[in-house]
Each structure stands twice: as structure tokens, then as C-alpha cells.
Amino acid sequence: MCGIVGAVSANNIVPILVQGLQRLEYRGYDSCGVAVHQGGELRRSRSTSRVAELRTMTEDDGVASGTGIAHTRWATHGAPAVHNAHPHFSRGQIALVHNGIIENHDELRDELKAKGYVFESQTDTEVIAHLVHHLYAGDLLEAVQGAVLRLRGAYAIAVFCRDEPGRVVGAREGSPLILGVGTESGTQADPTARYLASDAMALAGVTDRIVYLEEGDVVDLQLGKHWVLARDGERFKPTEREVKIVQAHSGAAELGPYRHYMQKEIFEQPRALADTLEGVEGITPELFGDGAYSVFKNVDRVLILACGTSSYSGMTAKYWLESIAKIPCSVEIASEYRYRDSVPDPRTLVVTISQSGETADTLAALKHARSLGMEHTLTICNVATSAMVRECKLAYITRAGVEVGVASTKAFSTQLAGLFLLTLALAQVRGHLTDEQEAQHLKAMRHLPVALQAVLALEPQVVAWAEAFARKENALFLGRGLHYPIALEGALKLKEISYIHAEAYPAGELKHGPLALVTAEMPVVTVAPNDALLEKLKSNLQEVRARGGELFVFADDDTKIESSPGLHVIRMPEHYGALSPILHVVPLQLLAYHTACARGTDVDKPRNLAKSVTVE
Ligand code: AGP
């Protein structure tokens, strides 16, 4: 999704801006651009191609300056086209980039048009550029303060003015923005430099001194100095924000022997799980942060808020929490929860789950829950420096490492590990976990990396199935109980990257409608662990076979489900108990991956999707 980098420096900052955009590339974008102050005027290069092309353009055109801003755009208002790409200019004087969505852009556009402003794009961003220009009377900081007071919606902006070289102003509300302070070391080695970015990762290797701007902040960057102003109603007051030392990863992981990042990330799962569980010697609430014991003692229910794949790990956790920790749990899609009337209970543990920690809907749902008086908040998140971690009282940081592929894989399995630990910690505090049970669960968790290796070894068999799937346009996924969310995740993976229409159902629900879809043309993927529901599931498989449906079953070794005409079986290891979903999701990831490869899609950057969904 959209990315921002901006800087003032005594040196040429164009290579740093472009490198920053490259570090944000994995988030998904459809155009990119850079603008600088050069020769007393604004200069800009924009492209609907990759950032590498933008780099060549800037080099060929001799674009160089100590003041500039850059952007990767994921289209919301207006098609992915050069004229819609950021930075946007206003009358050759103001240059601006923006992440987020301005809800009152129509009203502002009409107002600005009436004042004679001409719009070159269909974006909501150009409205902000003209608004800043309209309010500019010699001081960019004042103009930006005036402009943001008029905006409704979410924004992170970086802006500079032709008449004030060496100055960049930023502002945020609802979209992340950080300030970087230059150091003697790093790629730029300029302690007078100041940077803006939507994500610390953009500044990896450039500076490790980061200020996380807060909601409503406006920031003024000049050589060797910066000021932060905090919004207080309709006014702004100077404020101090702590400079933190942050070791951001560059994210530019090598592909190694893999064809795509997604494949690499699927195969990284044993290591990601081992890293996530490293240092877990025993179950204690303090795994989730200081004060977790008293929080866990004071809650009677769990509310999980998440989107997409992260919501499926939440759905899996609901089964664990209710059966092992005996605590009621509800799981809500964040984009729905934030807008619906619900009945709040202050004795609720609100758990957000997010790979990126920047998902706008999940952050807004968290805010909404807090506004309803639910103050006990915890996040399971993969990015320690993210807004989600900063906003929640308690956290468990999964150590999946940077996930580049848009389709989430290792983040999901490590979320499940974090959620299982949460289940055990709550069970312990609530008196439902004996020492013996704790030891057994921990033993099974520690064995997961080895168990996963055995599942990954099934890849050649999955490749053979993928060839058949690549010719289909529809697929059904079935699971029961703990493995129903895994079926949902398998279907999401397949549609995201292969563009095959896939739906998942609890297998017992089939006869209530979806069975009508079953023909010889409909592949039915089934997750078949050897759990208490196996016999019920076998009956559901019979219902499909009786209608001529073709079954593709991932069956635990001890299920006695054998291959026969119309029934294909890949044998999983023996049943892995409560942690079985972590194993069963892997072949579904591989099936989606190899089907997408066979169809020739852009696996790591599927059409229309972004890695980090920072708009609503
Ligand atoms: C996963 O494959 C998806 N790309 C998507 O559903 C993702 O899980 C969702 O957008 C939530 O993201 P988050 O975990 O970063 O909050």
C-alpha cells in the first residue's frame, strides 16, 4: 500500500528517497514518484512501472537535491496512471505526497475549483496540495496546520515549498508517519539530515534514531533541527516526542533457491516458529508484558479483532480459548466491528492480531473498543515498532521475520503459536492448566519445527495436484471445528494468488446449500485431521462423492482415508492434537502457491492487493 519517504539533508537525498521506496515496495503499489527542490523550482519524476525504473529516470534526468519527497501509490481515487501518481504539485510552488483517504475531498475540490484551482488528477491528494497552496502566506508550517484542520479522514503527508528550500513539513492522523534523525553513520552519514517515512523500514541503514509521530502531530523538518506540534482541538502546541533507537530490517531478503518470496516464506516456517518460541521456558502471563497477570486476572472474556488471514488465526484461537482456557471468546472482523453497535464489557481482554501492525481497520477497531471502555488490550503482532504494539498495553511479538509476499504464510503460523501461548497463559491464571498439561503442550510446541519439516516434504505431491487445480475456475474447501478456519485460510490463499474462486464451509454445512454446487467440475479440498469429528467428516465426504464431486483430502496418517477413484489423498503425519492447524495449513499454502505458479500469476504481488492495508 502507499509509502512515503521525505528528507532534508546537506547532501543529495534522491538515492535515499528511491532506496526508501524500494524498501517499501513489498507492500504493493501501482505507481511511484519523487519530487525535489532543484534550481529554484520543483522537479518531479513519476512512473507506473517499478521503483527501479524511477531510479533510472532520476539518474538520466540528473535529479539531485537536498530537499525532496517520494511516494509509492496504491490507487484508491483515480486509476493507476502517471497523472494520478504522487507527488502532486500546486501551481509550481507546493509539492505533496499523501497516504490515507480524505473523505471530504469532493467538498474541498469544489471550493478550490471555485477559487480557480485546476485539477490534473482524480486523486483526493491533489486537493490537499491546492489547499496548502491556498493557505500559504510565506510559512509552510502554518499553511499545513491550516490545511489539516480542514481535512476529514485519514492522512499522513509530506510537503515542501519552492520558496523554502531545506524544509519539509509532515502531518499525520489515522495513517502512520515517523521522523528519522540523521546520524554520523549510515548510508547518508549526515547528522543534520531529517527524514520522514511511513514505516521505519524505509530508513533501514540510513538512521536508527526514530520518532513515532502521534495522531494529529505536525512536524517541521529543517537542516539540523525539527519541531513537533501536537494537535489540541483546533490548535497546535509545541511538544517533545522521544527519539527511540530502532533497528529496522531492510526487508530486502534474498530469495536464495526459491522462485518467489511466498515459497521462501512457506519454507521458513520451521525457523519462524522456532524463533517465535525461543526463550519460552514455561507458561507465564509475563510472556505478554509487565502487568499481564493482573490484566488476565481481571478479564472474563476475550474479544479478538483482526482482518483477513489474521482473523482466521483469531477464529482458530477461539476454539482453543473456549476449550482449554474455558474463557468465552468472540472474533470480529475489524472493519465490521468498528461501525456496529455492540454491548461492551469492561472485563474483556481485547486482542488485536496483525502481521503488519499498521492495518487501518484493526487499529480503528481497537480505538473503538477502547472508546467503549475496554482498556485491557493485547496484540499478537509481527512488527515490534508498529502502531498496534504501541497502542496496546500488552503484546506478543511473533518472530516470523519480514514477510514480503502479499499472501501471508509464516505470519499466520507464528500468530497461531502466539495465540496458543495466550490460551495456555489464560488457562493457567484461571486454574485450568496443570503442570503436567503445561509440560505436554510445551513439548508439542517445541517439536513443531520438526513436524513442519515433514509436512513441507509433501511439496512434490502437492505440485502434482496443482496442475489439475490450475485448470479450474472454482473450488470448495471443507473443514470442521478447529480446522474450519484453516479451510477458510486455504480458500483465501487460493483466491488471492491464483484468482480461482474459492469458498470454504464447515463440512456439516454443505448439505444446507453449497452441495448444489458440487459436480465433477468442482474440486473439493478437505482438511481431515484424526480428531473427534473425523467420522462426521467422513460422512460429509460421502455426500460429495455421491454427487460426483472430486475430493482432494489432506488426511492425517491415522485416519484410514484411502485414495480411490474421485478421492485423492495426501497423507499428513499422525494427528498433532490441538496444534494440528499449524501443520494442516501448510499444504494448503503450497497448493495455492503451485496452482498460482501453474497459472503464471504474479505470486508475490497479486493484482489489486497490498501487503499492508493502511487505508480503510
Ligand atoms: C493475507 O494473505 C492477506 N494478504 C490479508 O488478508 C491480511 O492478512 C490482512 O490484510 C490483515 O493484515 P495484517 O495481518 O497485517 O493486519
Side-chain angles (χ1 to χ4, degrees):
M1 197 142 275
C2 302
I4 288 177
V5 196
V8 290
S9 168
N11 307 323
N12 174 23
I13 41 75
V14 174
I16 299 290
L17 296 179
V18 175
Q19 174 189 288
L21 292 188
Q22 268 173 327
R23 299 217 156 124
L24 299 177
E25 260 191 311
Y26 78 98
R27 297 159 68 108
Y29 67 104
D30 40 49
S31 59
C32 50
V34 60
V36 298
H37 190 284
Q38 191 171 11
E41 57 182 33
L42 308 183
R43 287 193 68 184
R44 123 183 111 177
S45 304
R46 297 184 290 178
S47 168
T48 50
S49 183
R50 313 310 288 172
V51 176
E53 156 84 4
L54 184 71
R55 178 187 293 282
T56 310
M57 285 168 78
T58 57
E59 287 167 359
D60 291 351
D61 297 348
V63 177
S65 172
T67 306
I69 55 178
H71 192 259
T72 45
R73 173 174 188 256
W74 187 78
T76 55
H77 297 68
V82 170
H83 71 279
N84 284 327
H86 305 205
H88 287 283
F89 285 177
S90 180
R91 296 188 175 169
Q93 197 178 12
I94 298 292
L96 182 140
V97 293
H98 161 230
N99 285 358
I101 289 179
I102 302 303
E103 287 168 1
N104 58 336
H105 67 99
D106 279 337
E107 170 193 325
L108 291 170
R109 186 180 287 106
D110 290 347
E111 196 180 308
L112 289 158
K113 274 185 179 168
K115 294 184 194 307
Y117 284 93
V118 175
F119 284 79
E120 293 173 357
S121 76
Q122 287 79 49
T123 64
D124 49 348
T125 303
E126 196 181 0
V127 169
I128 319 175
H130 290 320
L131 186 60
V132 172
H133 182 274
H134 172 60
L135 297 171
Y136 185 72
D139 183 337
L140 185 62
L141 182 63
E142 280 181 11
V144 170
Q145 289 175 65
V148 297
L149 289 177
R150 298 288 322 275
L151 303 179
R152 281 205 314 275
Y155 59 81
I157 59 171
V159 50
F160 71 92
C161 174
R162 181 194 63 200
D163 304 336
E164 298 184 70
R167 186 181 208 188
V168 170
V169 174
R172 68 153 295 205
E173 175 77 49
S175 293
L177 192 67
I178 56 129
L179 162 74
V181 179
T183 62
E184 288 286 4
S185 54
T187 335
Q188 187 73 341
D190 173 9
T192 69
R194 294 293 182 274
Y195 308 93
L196 278 180
S198 48
D199 183 328
M201 191 187 287
L203 303 181
V206 177
T207 182
D208 58 358
R209 300 183 62 205
I210 302 293
V211 176
Y212 289 95
L213 297 171
E214 296 190 7
E215 293 288 49
D217 281 356
V218 174
V219 60
D220 187 359
L221 280 62
Q222 298 185 31
L223 274 187
K225 49 196 178 189
H226 63 265
W227 294 269
V228 181
L229 303 177
R231 184 163 174 177
D232 180 12
E234 297 292 289
R235 297 168 53 227
F236 292 87
K237 291 184 184 162
T239 190
E240 290 293 320
R241 296 271 181 249
E242 188 191 350
V243 179
K244 295 189 173 163
I245 305 297
V246 175
Q247 300 297 341
H249 297 284
S250 70
E254 297 296 324
L255 261 181
Y258 301 102
R259 261 178 85 187
H260 298 96
Y261 282 105
M262 182 181 176
Q263 186 187 28
K264 176 174 185 275
E265 287 157 6
I266 292 172
F267 277 82
E268 277 174 352
Q269 288 179 106
R271 187 205 47 73
L273 276 152
D275 288 353
T276 297
L277 298 173
E278 196 186 87
V280 179
E281 301 295 335
I283 298 302
T284 157
E286 267 53 47
L287 288 171
F288 298 87
D290 292 344
Y293 177 79
S294 84
V295 170
F296 290 1
K297 260 289 184 212
N298 283 298
V299 295
D300 298 328
R301 55 181 55 248
V302 175
L303 167 64
I304 294 180
L305 303 171
C307 303
T309 287
S310 296
S311 75
Y312 299 147
S313 67
M315 284 174 70
T316 312
K318 176 184 165 78
Y319 288 88
W320 288 332
L321 286 161
E322 298 208 344
S323 81
I324 299 172
K326 317 274 180 229
I327 186 165
C329 172
S330 52
V331 185
E332 300 247 7
I333 299 291
S335 55
E336 287 293 312
Y337 175 76
R338 62 185 287 194
Y339 290 119
R340 80 176 184 85
D341 290 332
S342 53
V343 183
D345 177 350
R347 289 182 62 86
T348 301
L349 178 64
V350 178
V351 177
T352 61
I353 308 171
S354 178
Q355 186 286 127
S356 62
E358 303 292 353
T359 302
D361 283 322
T362 312
L363 283 168
L366 169 67
K367 216 172 177 178
H368 179 64
R370 274 205 313 247
S371 76
L372 295 175
M374 293 186 282
E375 290 295 335
H376 301 306
T377 56
L378 181 152
T379 188
I380 305 284
C381 187
N382 196 39
V383 182
T385 54
S386 63
M388 206 76 74
V389 176
R390 294 197 306 278
E391 296 285 323
C392 287
K393 273 193 191 155
L394 304 172
Y396 194 82
I397 309 298
T398 51
R399 300 221 191 98
V402 176
E403 194 179 62
V404 176
V406 163
S408 192
T409 52
K410 61 179 181 172
F412 178 74
S413 45
T414 53
Q415 283 169 357
L416 289 176
L419 288 161
F420 196 70
L421 288 174
L422 176 64
T423 304
L424 298 183
L426 281 165
Q428 186 184 65
V429 170
R430 296 166 65 81
H432 298 299
L433 188 74
T434 63
D435 290 350
E436 197 188 339
Q437 286 166 331
E438 175 185 341
Q440 274 170 4
H441 285 309
L442 280 175
K443 190 172 165 210
M445 289 190 90
R446 290 195 185 110
H447 186 65
L448 272 171
V450 176
L452 276 171
Q453 292 291 6
V455 178
L456 288 165
L458 300 171
E459 188 182 36
Q461 295 178 57
V462 178
V463 172
W465 282 11
E467 291 297 325
F469 270 75
R471 293 189 292 274
K472 306 285 184 186
E473 287 309 324
N474 299 286
L476 281 178
F477 284 69
L478 303 179
R480 292 194 78 132
L482 255 185
H483 296 79
Y484 165 51
I486 298 305
L488 284 164
E489 172 61 2
L492 178 66
K493 287 286 92 86
L494 191 69
K495 52 190 152 193
E496 261 188 309
I497 57 169
S498 74
Y499 314 148
I500 291 173
H501 172 230
E503 296 299 334
Y505 287 93
E509 186 66 10
L510 205 57
K511 56 190 173 298
H512 298 289
L515 201 53
L517 294 170
V518 172
T519 67
E521 283 312 299
M522 177 68 84
V524 182
V525 181
T526 309
V527 185
N530 188 10
D531 61 11
L533 292 168
L534 178 65
E535 292 312 315
K536 306 271 176 214
L537 185 73
K538 282 182 176 172
S539 307
N540 302 138
L541 299 186
Q542 291 303 326
E543 290 162 12
V544 173
R545 272 313 291 143
R547 273 90 190 164
E550 193 171 13
L551 284 156
F552 295 83
V553 184
F554 293 100
D556 282 356
D557 201 22
D558 37 4
T559 53
K560 299 194 173 64
I561 300 176
E562 305 294 338
S563 293
S564 59
L567 170 58
H568 313 276
V569 179
I570 288 183
R571 233 160 249 306
M572 298 282 290
E574 284 193 6
H575 186 48
Y576 209 76
L579 290 165
S580 166
I582 298 181
L583 300 192
H584 265 279
V585 75
V586 174
L588 301 186
Q589 296 166 344
L590 287 169
L591 181 63
Y593 171 72
H594 286 290
T595 304
C597 288
R599 286 167 74 98
T601 59
D602 189 349
V603 173
D604 286 331
K605 296 189 175 70
R607 69 183 176 207
N608 307 337
L609 300 181
K611 181 68 187 162
S612 188
V613 186
T614 50
V615 293
E616 130 159 61

